[in-house]
Every structure is written in C-alpha cells, then in structure tokens.
Amino acid sequence: MLNRQVVPIVPQGKRLVFVTNNSTKSRKQYGKKFETLGLNVNEEEIFASSFAAAAYLKSINFPKDKKVYVIGEDGILKELELAGFQYLGGPEDGGKKIELKPGFLMEHDKDVGAVVVGFDRYFNYYKVQYGTLCIRENPGCLFIATNRDAVTHLTDAQEWAGGGSMVGAICGSTQREPLVVGKPSTFMMDYLANKFGILKSQICMVGDRLDTDILFGQNGGCKTLLVLSGVTSLSMLQSPSNSIQPDFYTNKISDFLSIKAATL
C-alpha cells in the first residue's frame, strides 16, 4: 500500500479556503476527501453550499421549532443536524411514489418553515409535490437554493443536469424565486469576510467557471483568477458573447509554482 504524505496547505502568509457549490457532501466529508488527495484541510477552511444553507438559516435565527424540508443529498442533512435544525426529506424520499387516483390528497407537514433545494440524484415527483405544498401552503415558508448551476460534471464523458434543474422545477410549480446561498450569490463571500475579519478587496477568487466562480468573486468585490484546466476554455473566455472577464487567467493552478520559482 502506498503511504501518501499529508501536506498542509499554507500559502506564504495567506489564508486559503475552498468554496464549492456541491451540496452532496458536508464539510467533514470534504475534509476526508482532501485527505485522500494528501491534503490537510480544516473544516473551517471548507465552505460548501450545504453548509451555506445551514449558516443562512442560523443567520436569520430560523426558529428551532420549525422544520426544513430537503430536496437534496446527505451533505445538507448533516450540516442542518450540526446546526441544530429539524429536517425531513433528502435521500429517504427518493424511493417514495405517489399513487394518483380520484380524490387523492397528499398531506404535508405544516411545521415546515423552509424548503432547501440542492443537487439531488434521487429527485422525483414526490419531492416536487411535497416541496411545492410546503412553499405554497405553509405561511412564510422559505425557498432556499444551494445553487442554480445548469450543469455539473459527474463524469468526464459529458455534462450532466445540475442543481439548477431541481431548483427550476420548484420555481415552475410554486411561481417563486429562491434565495440562493451558493455561488455566485454574495452570501458566502460576506460570511467569509466576516468570519476571518478581512476586506473583500484583499481576497482573490480562483476558479474554473465564469458564471459561478468568477462572477462570485466579482459580485463580492474581489479580485478574480480563472484557471483554464476545468470547465472554461480559452475560446470560451475570449468569445465575443462572453461578458464575464476575470482580472487574471492562467492555464492551471500549478502555474503558481512556476511564478514562485521565477521569483527566487
């Protein structure tokens, strides 16, 4: 068995944090994933949209006697539990079906005060209807989206429908727009700046997507650096139809090592 050395991430005098729209994992689960890559990353340095949903509810003093209905996966449930919120739904509802017959009325929990929608590989009609009933019929029920990403990259063979497709279904059935807590919304950037006591102008957002990463940095008043090793290609960046321009761009994140070597 190959022993992989765990390398601490400590840039020269800089704090490094990881921000992801992927809500399928909690911060703790991401920490374990980083370990498999040989990286030692603390939970407080990881900001997933699953955590952002729970952090937002805490920031508005969401009543602890109210419940959260989750259209999403395990990461959201774990972060809600850590924050002390009651929840229902999630993967457990993935196998539930509705038998549509004359006179059938679907019941829902009147104590649900928020519906959180994230990427969900177990998405079905039961969840759509349950979430719709909560938002439309429970007074003051919040509609929160972890992100509105149109596509995601589950395999390297093609693009797959992203969390935005699940959010879009609920938008359609409720005729409501969600409060988005993930990129490119400014909530996580505001949270980071407040948590670490730094100015947004001191932050550089590094990412490979124009419509989420770079727009997230720009919306938050930060410098932005696009890496061309992921979703965005040079031709996409330079396309006349692209209106999102980063402050800087480079081919890959390891180019930083070349810059460092050149300055020694």
Side-chain angles (χ1 to χ4, degrees):
M1 180 182 294
L2 176 64
N3 291 320
R4 184 174 296 183
Q5 182 182 9
V6 176
V7 182
I9 307 229
V10 186
Q12 294 184 343
K14 308 296 182 183
R15 178 180 288 276
L16 184 63
V17 297
F18 296 88
V19 182
T20 175
N21 268 355
N22 190 334
S23 62
T24 62
K25 294 182 176 64
S26 66
R27 289 169 299 164
K28 186 172 184 178
Q29 289 171 313
Y30 272 113
K32 291 181 179 179
K33 181 177 180 179
F34 277 119
E35 284 183 15
T36 66
L37 299 173
L39 304 174
N40 184 14
V41 182
N42 297 324
E43 283 185 29
E44 68 170 16
E45 297 170 325
I46 302 169
F47 290 84
S49 61
S50 52
F51 169 73
Y56 174 76
L57 290 172
K58 287 187 73 172
S59 74
I60 62 170
N61 295 315
F62 183 74
K64 291 297 179 71
D65 60 340
K66 289 288 186 179
K67 301 175 185 176
V68 181
Y69 183 68
V70 177
I71 299 176
E73 300 192 16
D74 195 47
I76 299 174
L77 304 186
K78 289 185 180 300
E79 292 294 354
L80 289 174
E81 184 176 359
L82 286 171
F85 294 117
Q86 302 178 70
Y87 61 83
L88 63 157
E92 182 179 291
D93 283 358
K96 294 182 179 179
K97 297 180 179 180
I98 300 175
E99 185 180 349
L100 295 174
K101 53 188 178 182
F104 175 73
L105 177 70
M106 184 173 176
E107 300 288 347
H108 72 284
D109 194 324
K110 300 297 193 296
D111 289 329
V112 171
V115 175
V116 174
V117 184
F119 180 72
D120 190 344
R121 286 168 290 189
Y122 313 99
F123 192 62
N124 59 17
Y125 190 63
Y126 179 93
K127 294 184 180 185
V128 173
Q129 179 65 2
Y130 201 102
T132 298
L133 290 172
C134 292
I135 293 170
R136 292 180 62 174
E137 299 187 9
N138 290 5
C141 184
L142 303 173
F143 176 18
I144 300 170
T146 60
N147 68 80
R148 300 190 77 163
D149 293 358
V151 296
T152 188
H153 296 79
L154 301 178
T155 70
D156 58 2
Q158 62 184 172
E159 290 184 330
W160 297 79
S165 60
M166 292 85 193
V167 175
I170 305 302
C171 288
S173 61
T174 63
Q175 294 297 289
R176 288 260 305 271
E177 288 296 311
L179 185 144
V180 182
V181 294
K183 299 177 291 186
S185 163
T186 59
F187 174 75
M188 281 202 286
M189 190 64 76
D190 293 338
Y191 187 95
L192 284 167
N194 291 333
K195 178 177 176 62
F196 297 118
I198 55 177
L199 298 174
K200 295 176 190 175
S201 59
Q202 296 176 291
I203 300 173
C204 182
M205 177 64 198
V206 181
D208 68 345
R209 290 183 70 147
L210 291 167
D211 60 342
T212 55
D213 300 324
I214 302 307
L215 193 57
F216 174 61
Q218 291 177 346
N219 289 344
C222 309
K223 292 293 185 182
T224 56
L225 170 64
L226 176 73
V227 289
L228 300 173
S229 55
V231 174
T232 306
S233 64
L234 184 60
S235 61
M236 292 168 64
L237 173 63
Q238 296 177 337
S239 170
S241 63
N242 171 44
S243 60
I244 305 172
Q245 294 294 327
D247 293 297
F248 313 99
Y249 73 90
T250 190
N251 288 323
K252 54 190 181 301
I253 197 71
S254 59
D255 287 344
F256 279 117
L257 300 177
S258 301
I259 294 172
K260 180 181 176 181
T263 60
L264 293 178

